[in-house]
Amino acid sequence: MAIFVRIAGPIIKAGLPKLGYLRSRFLWEQTNHTKASMVIKLEKVLISDEVDPKCVNILQNNGVEVVKNTKLSKEELLAEIPKYDGLIVRSATKVTADVINAGTNLRIIGRAGTGVDNIDTEAATRKGVIVMNTPGGNTLSAAEHTCTLIIALTRNLGAASMSMKEGRWDRKKFMGSELYGKTLAIIGLGRIGKEVALRMQSFGMTTIGFDPIVSPAESAEFNTESLSLEEIWPRADFITVHTPLIPQTKHLLCDATFAKCKKGVKVVNCARGGVIEEAALLRALESGQCGGAGLDVFVEEPPKDYTLAKHPNVIATPHLGASTIEAQTRVAEDIAQQFVDLAQGKSLFGAINAPALANALSPATQPWVQLGDRLGAVGSLLSKNMSITNVEVVMFGEPLKKAGTFLIASVMAGFLKTSAIDNGDLVPISLNLVNAPIYAKQSGVVTTSTYKEGSDSTYVRIDLQGAGGEVLQVCGTVAGSECELLSVQGCAFGVPANLSGNVIVYRVHKEIPLADIISAAAKDGAQVRAVSTSELKNSQAFGVLSLNAPVSPGLTNLNSVVSVAYPASL
């Protein structure tokens, strides 16, 4: 165990004769500080909808207590949810803002299936709660159901089957058509859209599609030509939609778009009710502009009005896209394993609202996430009189080339948490990588990130700009799993300041004996275990006192010696 005080720079010249006293007074314990933990506490999970038993088994085998109760009313759920860290649902449970806000211990909500329409994702994000689904679990079942409806439409299978059950042999009535040579337009070329394309190509169909995310080169890999929507409508014999229901996709097929299609075009929706406007579809069916529809989803489920489902040219099923034994087993296993992987800090898959956290779970990035948080906290403390309007995160070194998203989130989490010490109404809840970007935007602070090429060293600098144009720069790096402060306002620390645990950050405008600083801090109740100081430059210097225990705010004695001092827990 080494006994020393971390000192550097001319700021302490006047205190050097007292170094013997300092050596006997302070002890630096070389402890292993815990690195940034992205692990989510997951001790108890509620499952409120029916899921395959494998979901329960996986969670329990990994030490998670599971309660399955599928009979909860909303009032009962509100009373029950505070007991749990996690919640797993399918589509029956409506996870409203009231439920999320009542979940005082809630950290993660998972839907065993695709889409999260029944979860208030915005409310969860503001609360810092992760929302995830199982994007791949239903893929094959949904694709197969889509293909089934396309085939059924060509041969009038629904109506033909019904006529037989009613004792009629209406062979001439149900003349069909072949799929061979027809053009299938796929709106949404993600997992399900791709699988539909591959399957229907085996029938000799030409597949075209639109997706703002999937590039033409990517869709060409599965023989699907990427076109604009305006190019698609007049070419399609069949249209199938595979998009979420968002403002951009609501009523994507409507009177205007049906008018641009071939007369007799057939449509299929196994995605979300509302992507096809139901009233417009009914009008198109009545006029013959639409020759048939295969519908598995509806705006209201179950529908109060079955007029559309009963139309003779409609084949309707009660939301069966994911209703296969295999799909339900797969999504149950997937959501449970995703919970476990996140709880163990291995990975975050299927998260809807946590891009920064998803990129921050690898062992290589975790210390940098923690550094961002702590640099943000230090920057917030030292810029309290600046009215910060802009925060720029500047990254140096190849390992940080793609770190912008999570570093901005972690810097702002640290910045806003520290701001909230003196301004409790700014951020009313705990901050993390999920909700920090939202509260940063709400606070009016503009955030940006910049990567600088050509640096031999790997480090992060945050530039905090005040309303008057003044800028505070704080620079730090990672050494192993330790976060280190390298400089403030260009004033370099001869020995980098360790940013962990309880600290006091201070500024001075002249050389002050280090012994005086430590003595004043001791009078304020600070148990100092290490000191790091910067050089004196442009009539200012900075220091960090590492403490054995938290200290009360105020620091009357210390503030009588230095220009300003702030306590913090990093």
Side-chain angles (χ1 to χ4, degrees), residues 521-537:
K523 290 178 182 178
D524 287 321
Q527 302 174 30
V528 181
R529 61 183 172 84
V531 184
S532 292
T533 62
S534 81
E535 62 182 325
L536 182 65
K537 185 177 180 180

Side-chain angles (χ1 to χ4, degrees), residues 446-526:
V446 177
T447 60
T448 55
S449 67
T450 304
Y451 173 73
K452 298 286 188 179
E453 299 276 0
S455 175
D456 294 330
S457 302
T458 304
Y459 60 99
V460 176
R461 189 186 78 216
I462 59 172
D463 297 349
L464 301 102
Q465 182 176 338
E470 66 275 36
V471 176
L472 174 74
Q473 289 188 340
V474 181
C475 185
T477 191
V478 167
S481 61
E482 299 290 344
C483 299
E484 296 185 337
L485 182 63
L486 297 177
S487 68
V488 180
Q489 290 299 75
C491 301
F493 285 78
V495 177
N498 185 277
L499 296 180
S500 65
N502 299 292
V503 300
I504 294 173
V505 180
Y506 67 86
R507 184 202 311 253
V508 297
H509 290 289
K510 62 181 180 180
E511 293 183 356
I512 299 174
L514 182 57
D516 292 351
I517 293 174
I518 296 172
S519 176
K523 290 178 182 178
D524 287 321

Side-chain angles (χ1 to χ4, degrees), residues 149 153 266-270 276 292-297 313-316:
L149 290 177
L153 284 173
K266 295 179 173 64
V267 298
V268 172
N269 187 3
C270 287
I276 300 176
L295 304 177
D296 187 49
V297 290
N313 291 338
V314 170
I315 297 175

Side-chain angles (χ1 to χ4, degrees), residues 92-287:
T93 299
K94 306 304 177 187
V95 189
T96 61
D98 290 345
V99 173
I100 293 165
N101 292 329
T104 51
N105 294 308
L106 197 60
R107 298 292 177 267
I108 179 170
I109 302 167
R111 182 174 187 270
T114 57
V116 288
D117 297 358
N118 56 319
I119 301 171
D120 190 330
T121 304
E122 181 179 349
T125 303
R126 291 181 61 83
K127 191 85 180 292
V129 177
I130 298 168
V131 177
M132 64 167 57
N133 64 356
T134 53
N138 294 340
T139 298
L140 294 180
S141 292
E144 289 180 359
H145 196 65
T146 300
C147 296
T148 299
L149 290 177
I150 293 172
I151 295 168
L153 284 173
T154 64
R155 305 305 292 268
N156 303 297
L157 295 185
S161 176
M162 183 61 67
S163 72
M164 287 289 290
K165 292 178 184 299
E166 293 172 349
R168 301 196 308 272
W169 185 265
D170 295 327
R171 186 180 181 194
K172 294 182 179 179
K173 182 178 179 181
F174 299 116
M175 180 64 66
S177 60
E178 293 182 349
L179 292 171
Y180 183 83
K182 302 299 192 301
T183 297
L184 172 64
I186 304 169
I187 313 301
L189 296 171
R191 292 181 180 87
I192 298 173
K194 175 183 177 180
E195 296 299 333
V196 169
L198 293 173
R199 282 156 178 74
M200 298 317 297
Q201 287 164 13
S202 67
F203 285 84
M205 297 192 83
T206 298
T207 55
I208 60 177
F210 168 80
D211 194 308
I213 297 175
V214 178
S215 70
E218 290 176 294
S219 65
E221 292 178 1
F222 52 93
N223 300 317
T224 299
E225 183 182 4
S226 179
L227 300 172
S228 69
L229 289 173
E230 292 304 309
E231 291 172 312
I232 279 176
W233 305 133
R235 286 186 54 180
D237 298 301
F238 290 79
I239 300 172
T240 177
V241 294
H242 299 284
T243 72
L245 181 63
I246 57 177
Q248 294 88 337
T249 63
K250 184 177 181 180
H251 295 173
L252 189 62
L253 271 75
C254 56
D255 289 319
T257 47
F258 275 120
K260 298 174 184 177
C261 294
K262 291 180 179 180
K263 188 174 181 64
V265 65
K266 295 179 173 64
V267 298
V268 172
N269 187 3
C270 287
R272 285 290 181 267
V275 176
I276 300 176
E277 185 183 1
E278 292 180 350
L281 173 58
L282 187 58
R283 287 190 288 270
L285 288 165
E286 291 292 340
S287 69

Side-chain angles (χ1 to χ4, degrees), residues 37-54:
S37 175
M38 297 297 104
V39 176
I40 301 297
K41 173 187 172 186
L42 193 66
E43 296 177 353
K44 192 172 182 180
V45 170
L46 172 65
I47 299 176
S48 60
D49 290 335
E50 285 295 341
V51 297
D52 190 278
K54 288 186 177 181

